[in-house]
Amino acid sequence: MGDPQAETNDSERALPPVRQRSAELRLLVPALATGAAGLVAASLSLTGTVDPSVTLTIAVVSACAVALHVLLRFLAPYADPVILPVATVLNALGLTMIWALQMSEAEPAHGDADRQLLWTVAGTVLCGATIALVRRPRRLTMYTYVIAVAALLLLLLPLSPLGIEVLGARRWIGIGPFTMQPSEFAKVLLVIFLSSYLGRRRTVMSLVTHTVRIGRVKVFSVPRARDLAPMAVGWGMAILLLVGTRDLGTSLLLFGTFLALLYAATGRKSWVAIGLVAFSAGAYVAYLLFGHVRNRVEIWLNAFDPEVYGRPGGSFQVVEGMFALANGGVLGTGFHDGFAQEVFAADSDLILVSIGEKLGLTGLMAVLVLLFLLAERGFRIALACRDVFLKLTSLGYAFLLAFNVFIVLGGATLVIPLTGMTTPFLSAGGSALMANWVIVGLWLVISEHTRRPQESFSAGLAPNDPSTEVIDVRRVPRRPPRDGR
């Protein structure tokens, strides 16, 4: 990651210590206007009038966004000004699409949209709580292994009596009338655990290695067992639990994020190659063990085969989704036309397909630009961070979001097998939405910590900060000379 002093200087140039709340407000107004315009257009197109539920949705989303903005003015005035407006407009577009899909069905209703609005309120509350409680994000490193254990417990919950199996995957738990996907919150915790561990051990792991040679030819380098063992055990348990619940999409997402963080911390490409080989071997074993995985691979390879298309659990979902995308064309069919609402999971797993049909390629590209703009802000914050832990945490969440979008869109277009994952901020479902708002809160806290003006000391850390190991040699008393020398 380079010299610490150089990182400090770069961060000060990249993110100047300027209060950014006025800029955030100027971006938040058009973001809310865009969300409101989408909801009103959908309502006028489908009902001929502005439905009262649409008015309520606009009011609630606006109130939540303004409340977060006011909170940031008091608690995080130097936080990134782009993240909140982009997250808000994506959330509003997701609500618009879920409402329109439900109202386009044979029996119009907006119950799912109302539930998504409830999860939006819960997500913004969690975001505000994160901003208020995690004032010094560096202190999260004090609970590295506690966070790891909490993440593993969350991954274990679907295997408990609370677990619910749906379409071959056991990734949900049921609590009364509500269901929750614990792995969404586990992802947030696992990134913190990996960033904390790699932040502490990155120098040793990148320099102290064992070299594997064939004759005199160097093949690759591997870390010492003492450096990699704790992380490998924790991560291996997480992957095994995910395979046990057959949530292979999340397994792919987390393992990819793990490799990205490992490479960012150590700069060793050989470890990424080893990880890809290991994951490929694990995926092949899962293919041999689970009929659910074999079915997904067969759908990927032979989606348009009539036999594969017509059988129960066949390729009809992904094929209909591709036809819906083609039907949208460049400008889309509009909210009142098309057949995306008839595709299974059109408001969750295939929400991008629904957007592509209703809003066309133009609308889909605009949404993808917003998603990757959000990821770009995460990468930008990571580049500017003075602290290695915060740098890796911000980078991990940015990669998590970008890779998540690739997995969803790649599955819908048969670039990779369809995994049944949700799109951040857009898809119906409370667990993913709340977890993503927590990530937004952490990004805002980290960017506030990075931008906040402070007296520089060596690598940008305060002189009396217990987390630093830097010693000011100018204050070390000199040893008195011996024998008059």
Side-chain angles (χ1 to χ4, degrees), residues 89-288:
V89 72
L90 284 171
N91 200 155
L93 290 173
L95 285 166
T96 301
M97 193 55 56
I98 294 167
W99 189 91
L101 289 171
Q102 266 207 294
M103 295 297 290
S104 300
E105 295 176 353
E107 298 180 1
H110 48 79
D112 289 345
D114 293 342
R115 277 190 292 274
Q116 190 72 0
L117 181 61
L118 177 63
W119 296 129
T120 299
V121 174
T124 53
V125 169
L126 286 176
C127 179
T130 302
I131 295 168
L133 298 177
V134 189
R135 303 298 299 279
R136 297 182 180 179
R138 184 69 180 78
R139 290 188 174 182
L140 292 173
T141 57
M142 299 169 61
Y143 312 101
T144 301
Y145 294 103
V146 174
I147 289 173
V149 171
L152 292 177
L153 289 176
L154 286 173
L155 292 171
L156 273 171
L157 279 177
L159 300 177
S160 70
L162 296 174
I164 300 173
E165 184 171 329
V166 179
L167 299 176
R170 193 179 178 88
R171 65 179 78 162
W172 293 271
I173 61 171
I175 304 175
F178 300 101
T179 59
M180 186 183 74
Q181 192 171 344
S183 62
E184 295 292 343
F185 298 98
K187 290 187 294 188
V188 180
L189 297 179
L190 284 172
V191 168
I192 295 175
F193 160 65
L194 288 169
S195 301
S196 177
Y197 185 83
L198 289 171
R200 293 176 180 177
R201 307 294 299 177
R202 69 185 184 102
T203 303
V204 174
M205 293 176 68
S206 61
L207 297 178
V208 184
T209 60
H210 296 298
T211 302
V212 177
R213 299 177 181 273
I214 299 178
R216 295 184 177 181
V217 179
K218 176 183 176 181
V219 181
F220 54 83
S221 300
V222 295
R224 298 181 305 176
R226 73 182 71 173
D227 298 325
L228 194 58
M231 182 178 57
V233 170
W235 199 256
M237 289 179 64
I239 297 299
L240 288 174
L241 286 170
L242 289 173
V243 171
T245 59
R246 301 184 185 182
D247 189 0
L248 299 178
T250 305
S251 177
L252 173 62
L253 178 64
L254 290 179
F255 196 82
T257 305
F258 161 66
L259 291 181
L261 286 173
L262 185 62
Y263 177 71
T266 64
R268 289 193 170 272
K269 298 183 286 293
S270 59
W271 291 12
V272 177
I274 295 170
L276 291 175
V277 171
F279 185 82
S280 299
Y284 181 68
V285 172
Y287 174 81
L288 296 177

Side-chain angles (χ1 to χ4, degrees), residues 27 80 82-83 85-87 89-90 366-380 398 401-402 443:
L27 292 173
D80 189 285
V82 179
I83 291 177
V86 174
V89 72
L90 284 171
V367 169
L368 292 177
V369 167
L370 287 173
L371 285 166
F372 287 115
L373 175 60
L374 196 58
E376 184 272 337
R377 300 309 294 186
F379 285 122
R380 180 179 174 82
L401 187 145
W443 266 335

Side-chain angles (χ1 to χ4, degrees), residues 7 31 39-40 50 74 76 104 129 132 141 179-180 242 313 316 323 374 382 411 479:
E7 290 178 10
L39 281 163
V40 170
V50 179
F74 286 99
S104 300
T141 57
T179 59
M180 186 183 74
L242 289 173
F316 60 90
F323 277 116
L374 196 58
R479 186 171 55 185

Side-chain angles (χ1 to χ4, degrees), residues 21 62 82 111 122 176 205 272 293 326 377 400 414 419 439 462 467 480:
R21 302 284 60 81
S62 300
V82 179
M205 293 176 68
V272 177
V293 178
R377 300 309 294 186
L400 193 73
L414 292 180
T419 58
I439 290 174
S467 65

Side-chain angles (χ1 to χ4, degrees), residues 449-472:
H449 180 83
T450 302
R451 290 173 180 265
R452 186 192 309 127
Q454 56 183 333
E455 295 182 2
S456 61
F457 176 77
S458 185
L461 296 170
N464 297 321
D465 191 340
S467 65
T468 180
E469 297 179 0
V470 179
I471 300 174
D472 189 353

Side-chain angles (χ1 to χ4, degrees), residues 50-91:
V50 179
D51 192 277
S53 64
V54 166
T55 305
L56 176 63
T57 300
I58 294 172
V60 170
V61 171
S62 300
C64 290
V66 171
L68 282 178
H69 171 74
V70 172
L71 183 68
L72 289 171
R73 280 188 175 272
F74 286 99
L75 299 184
Y78 297 95
D80 189 285
V82 179
I83 291 177
L84 178 59
V86 174
T88 299
V89 72
L90 284 171
N91 200 155

